[in-house]
Amino acid sequence: MTIALHHLTVETPSHHYPIVFGTGLIAQAGRHLAPYIKGHKFFIVSDDQVAAHYLQQLEVSFSEMNLERHTFIVPAGEASKSFSIFERIMNEMLRAEPDRHTTLIALGGGVVGDLTGFLAATLMRGVPFIQIPTSLLAQVDSSVGGKTAINCAAGKNMVGAFYQPHAVLIDVGSLHTLSKREILAGYAEVLKYALLGDAEFYTYLLDHAEAIIAKDADVLMHIIRHCCAMKAEIVAQDEKEQGRRALLNLGHTFGHAIEKHAAYDGTVLHGEAVAMGCLMAAQLAVHQGGISRVDYDQLHQHYTMIGLPTHLSRDFSHHHWDASQLTDYCYQDKKSERGGLTFITLNKIGDAQVTKNMDAAIISSIFQEFIA
Ligand code: GLY
């Protein structure tokens, strides 16, 4: 049963599309998505864990519609954003004889969404796709805005396309099957939004830590809608990340280096790396006089209270962290220009900027503070 339904429109130069928020929406997806499926067949992509919970109800919701359906399942985890999985699924899809109207539906978290989006962008030079994000991370960030990608040896998300979905269906009820670790990984992106652009929202988050951990439905709905609204506003101004959208990468240059150092082996979730990256960005801001030590301590205390990682060596002790290696990985970030390091830095809580030509020694010393 749907207890509340909210809508938001994302208006990018290339495409306008709705985000529909509610509870119980996966079981009603056929009805909500019918207007966005133009062809006579559609493909669902999911991972083995999400499929076990939600695939059947999604499929049943389409059962009364006269559509041909094919389902493609990938292993859960970052390793599925790879050339080999992309190639396998692409070939399987081509064997199912798609046409230009065949619609792809991504049912899952950020990995499934990014992979499916890239499949949609490239299958026959582009077919429509729909996001049904089931993780908090995907609901607050990755399902909105049209970034699609796979990883390769050169780094995370290095092969991809800006390709907007035709609709995003956010069923907040799907968060109930997530572990606390997965909720916190998504929460890292929520904090990111507050830190980069909304001090009032930051205060709200500090005040609602317990409700967030307890998966309070109203609080989760509020923070998901708030993050999507912030993202929609930024993406409308800067769809292809020529300017302000880069702020959404707060914590991500540190974070991507951490993920690469961990070899995407699943021991450090993307959201955990982003959490560490945002704390490092805050520490950098203290060194640069952007935020006070009191602000930093308050953020650190919030991390500890809610259960986010605060220290690389202590929280991810099975890796041997090396500050110099981590700094080298930062040069492979997509924001790097002319061999220089570009970081998103904090001017104060709720205000960030792009900073070019960061001093590598400072970045290395920040990593070292979280290793020693
Ligand atoms: N996840 C950052 C962005 O979509 O721009």
Side-chain angles (χ1 to χ4, degrees), residues 64-313:
E64 285 174 15
M65 294 163 68
N66 192 20
L67 294 170
E68 186 182 321
R69 180 186 74 232
H70 296 262
T71 299
F72 305 86
I73 305 293
V74 301
E78 191 73 28
S80 282
K81 277 176 65 173
S82 65
F83 274 117
S84 59
I85 297 282
F86 173 82
E87 184 181 16
R88 174 167 75 76
I89 302 296
M90 182 60 91
N91 281 324
E92 287 177 15
M93 285 183 172
L94 289 167
R95 279 197 290 278
E97 300 182 345
D99 62 31
R100 280 266 166 80
H101 296 297
T102 299
T103 300
L104 272 51
I105 297 181
L107 173 70
V111 167
V112 166
D114 285 9
L115 172 69
T116 309
F118 190 49
L119 284 159
T122 48
L123 178 63
M124 303 172 67
R125 295 208 182 100
V127 295
F129 93 109
I130 291 165
Q131 292 269 19
I132 306 183
T134 56
S135 70
L136 181 60
L137 186 142
Q139 293 186 353
V140 295
D141 191 58
S142 62
S143 67
V144 175
K147 277 193 180 174
T148 76
I150 55 173
N151 305 326
C152 61
K156 197 171 156 80
N157 298 334
M158 289 305 246
V159 177
F162 287 100
Y163 193 71
Q164 300 294 341
H166 281 223
V168 182
L169 195 71
I170 296 184
D171 184 346
V172 179
S174 69
L175 302 181
H176 287 293
T177 47
L178 295 184
S179 65
K180 182 179 174 196
R181 187 177 178 202
E182 288 166 313
I183 290 284
L184 288 177
Y187 180 64
E189 298 276 5
V190 176
L191 260 181
K192 174 195 82 173
Y193 278 94
L195 288 168
L196 74 87
D198 193 335
E200 206 176 304
F201 186 44
Y202 181 71
T203 304
Y204 174 90
L205 295 176
L206 296 189
D207 290 345
H208 290 80
E210 282 169 18
I212 292 160
I213 306 172
K215 298 189 203 172
D216 180 289
D218 291 337
V219 172
L220 288 177
M221 180 65 93
H222 174 74
I223 64 179
I224 292 165
R225 288 178 62 198
H226 194 85
C227 292
C228 286
M230 283 182 74
K231 183 149 193 184
E233 195 253 321
I234 292 172
V235 169
Q237 286 177 3
D238 180 22
E239 181 181 9
K240 302 257 170 92
E241 199 170 300
Q242 299 301 302
R244 191 168 166 232
R245 184 167 181 170
L247 301 182
L248 296 176
N249 294 316
L250 177 67
H252 280 62
T253 305
F254 287 117
H256 284 168
I258 291 166
E259 284 185 273
K260 187 167 170 64
H261 202 289
Y264 312 111
D265 66 355
T267 57
V268 185
L269 300 177
H270 173 64
E272 291 170 337
V274 169
M276 287 300 311
C278 286
L279 200 58
M280 289 174 180
Q283 181 71 290
L284 178 62
V286 174
H287 286 280
Q288 296 182 319
I291 69 171
S292 68
R293 177 56 61 187
V294 172
D295 282 339
Y296 179 82
D297 288 346
Q298 187 182 44
L299 178 63
H300 193 283
Q301 196 180 10
H302 182 61
Y303 269 53
T304 308
M305 194 254 166
I306 207 160
L308 283 171
T310 55
H311 195 272
L312 280 177
S313 303

Side-chain angles (χ1 to χ4, degrees), residues 44-63:
I44 299 171
V45 182
S46 193
D47 72 39
D48 46 11
Q49 287 176 10
V50 172
H53 290 291
Y54 300 112
L55 181 59
Q56 195 189 8
Q57 47 177 293
L58 178 64
E59 289 178 342
V60 168
S61 80
F62 282 96
S63 57

